[in-house]
Structures are given as C-alpha cells and as structure tokens.
Amino acid sequence: MAVNELHDPSGTDPTLLLLTVEETARRLGIGRTTCYSLITSGEIESVTLGRLRKVPADALPAYVAKLRRTAHTIAAA
C-alpha cells in the first residue's frame, strides 16, 4: 500500500494540482460519463495538456459551491 493511500482511500494524491477526469469523478462521487458531460458543458472547469483533459483541483470546490448556491436559490423561491 502506498503512503498516500493511507490518507486518501480513493487512491488519489490530495496534493495534485491537476486531476484526470477519472480522479475528478471519484472525488465527486459521480460516474466518468457524467463527469465528461459536466466538463463538456463547462459546468466544471478543465484545461487541455497536449491530448489530455485535466481538471484543476480548485475547480471542484468552486463547482460544489455553485451547486450549493443554486440549491439555496431554488429553496428560497
């Protein structure tokens, strides 16, 4: 077992700045296809490195915050 697996049971390194789509999906608890859809629609920020699609780690808290704001707005209406 790797050292980082002791701290993060999902197997992803919490110090990474850029995540793969699979790592992003795992952290959000969603499927890979759903994650690709969110990236394609622009809901989750991503960047291209060569042929790879990566998601900045700080884009995940921003996405979750956006979801929470939307939920609060709908609940208040």
Side-chain angles (χ1 to χ4, degrees):
M1 181 180 296
V3 172
N4 67 336
E5 290 178 14
L6 295 174
H7 302 290
D8 186 2
S10 67
T12 59
D13 182 351
T15 62
L16 291 176
L17 295 177
L18 295 173
L19 306 170
T20 66
V21 174
E22 290 78 9
E23 289 167 335
T24 301
R26 201 173 313 122
R27 285 191 181 187
L28 291 174
I30 61 175
R32 192 173 60 107
T33 302
T34 301
C35 192
Y36 271 111
S37 295
L38 291 169
I39 290 169
T40 301
S41 70
E43 290 289 315
I44 297 176
E45 178 189 357
S46 67
V47 296
T48 304
L49 289 174
R51 294 175 53 197
L52 301 175
R53 176 67 53 186
K54 296 283 190 164
V55 175
D58 62 354
L60 300 185
Y63 172 68
V64 172
K66 181 179 174 183
L67 289 176
R68 293 177 81 180
R69 281 192 305 274
T70 302
H72 288 292
T73 303
I74 292 171

